[in-house]
Each structure stands twice: as C-alpha cells, then as structure tokens.
C-alpha cells in the first residue's frame, strides 16, 4: 500500500503571516480581505495572524523570508498586484517577486504562498481580486492552510 500524505483545511493553532504590497492598494486590499476571511472561516484565530505591509511586490520576498525564518509562522502568504505598464519595469518586478518568493520558501522550508497577481490590465486584476475570476487571496490562504497541515507530516516522515 502506498503512503499518502495530504494536508487538510482545518486550522488547528497554526500561525500565518500575510505580506501584502501597498502598490495597487485598491486591488491588494481585496486580496487581503479574501485571505483573512478564508483563514477565519477555516478556524484560524485572527489574533495569531500577522499582516506585514510593504511598499510593492518587489519588497515582498525579503519580508516573506524574514517571517518564514523567524520560526513564528507555519506559512507565509504573499499578496500583491503587478499590472503591466508600458515599460519593462513590469517584467523586472514580476520576476523578482516570483523567484524571490520561491527562494524564500525553499531556503527556509516554510511554505510561502504566491498570491501575487501579474496581469496585463487593471480589469484583469479586479476580476481576480474578488470579482468574476475569484479571489487569489482566498486561493493563497487555502493553499497556506493545506501546506501548513501537510509539512509536519512530511517532516515526521523524514524523522521516522
Ligand atoms: N509594484 C507592484 O506591486 N505592482 C506594480 O504594478 C508595480 N509597478 O508597476 O511599478 C510595482 N512597482 C513598485 C515596486 O514593487 C517597488 O515597490 C519599487 O520599485 C521600489 O523598490
């Protein structure tokens, strides 16, 4: 019989940090609302949730890595909105935010969830921040719960 390891969506004393970019705040505040509501609905004590505000998505990885490394959180949720302009700035911010978030996760072995929108237009971002295409903040928070409940099983597996 294979061994199946799988997280669930039941928060049981898990602690979460949310790192949120202020750039495009009208979008990111909806992502944050979605993430907090999802954690709340799944049983998180919001007093155990830390929300860290940074200027923009470029700054998310360093804050996420610091939270992850602190040992105070079972998962770190990154929320931001990068919207394409007419300069290559978009590509640099996207690439820094994506690879930096992944690096923060791999370096610390703490799940760092990617709820950073990268869209061509403001309308596409609005659609993914609580409108017709769902809410990426909710998705990232659900994934955070699943990973926070999975990681101890994985770590026990290696120890055993
Ligand atoms: N930051 C974002 O989060 N989204 C954007 O769309 C964006 N654009 O387009 O410039 C953006 N820029 C700011 C960047 O994240 C840094 O805060 C800034 O460069 C200072 O380091």
């Amino acid at each position: 019989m294979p061994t199946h390891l799988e997280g669930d969506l039941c928060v049981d004393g898990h602690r979460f940090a949310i790192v949120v970019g202020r750039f495009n705040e009208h979008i990111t505040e909806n992502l944050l609302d979605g993430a907090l509501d999802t954690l709340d609905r799944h049983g998180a004590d919001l007093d155990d949730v830390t929300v860290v505000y940074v200027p923009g998505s470029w700054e998310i990885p360093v804050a996420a890595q610091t939270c992850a490394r602190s040992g105070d959180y079972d998962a770190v949720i990154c929320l931001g909105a990068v919207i394409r302009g007419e300069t290559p700035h978009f590509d640099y911010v996207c690439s820094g935010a994506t690879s930096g978030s992944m690096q923060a996760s791999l370096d610390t072995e703490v799940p760092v969830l990617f709820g950073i929108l990268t869209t061509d237009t403001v309308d596409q971002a609005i659609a993914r921040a609580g409108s017709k295409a769902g809410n990426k903040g909710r998705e990232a928070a659900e994934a955070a719960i699943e990973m926070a409940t999975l990681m101890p099983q994985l770590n026990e597996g290696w120890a055993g």
Side-chain angles (χ1 to χ4, degrees), residues 21 23-24 55-59 80-85 89-90 93:
F23 206 101
N24 292 319
S57 296
W58 181 261
E59 287 76 28
V82 196
I83 301 173
R84 190 179 286 281
H89 199 70
F90 170 88
V93 175

Side-chain angles (χ1 to χ4, degrees), residues 47-126:
D47 287 341
D48 288 340
V49 177
T50 302
V51 180
V52 181
Y53 295 91
V54 295
S57 296
W58 181 261
E59 287 76 28
I60 288 175
V62 68
Q65 182 160 314
T66 305
C67 290
R69 194 168 272 156
S70 70
D72 290 341
Y73 304 105
D74 298 293
V76 180
I77 301 164
C78 298
L79 303 177
V82 196
I83 301 173
R84 190 179 286 281
E86 287 176 359
T87 70
H89 199 70
F90 170 88
D91 299 298
Y92 296 126
V93 175
C94 282
S95 129
T98 50
S99 61
S101 302
M102 176 58 81
Q103 189 189 319
S105 200
L106 295 176
D107 284 357
T108 60
E109 296 182 14
V110 172
V112 174
L113 289 301
F114 191 70
I116 302 175
L117 297 175
T118 56
T119 63
D120 285 332
T121 67
V122 173
D123 283 349
Q124 287 171 349
I126 290 170

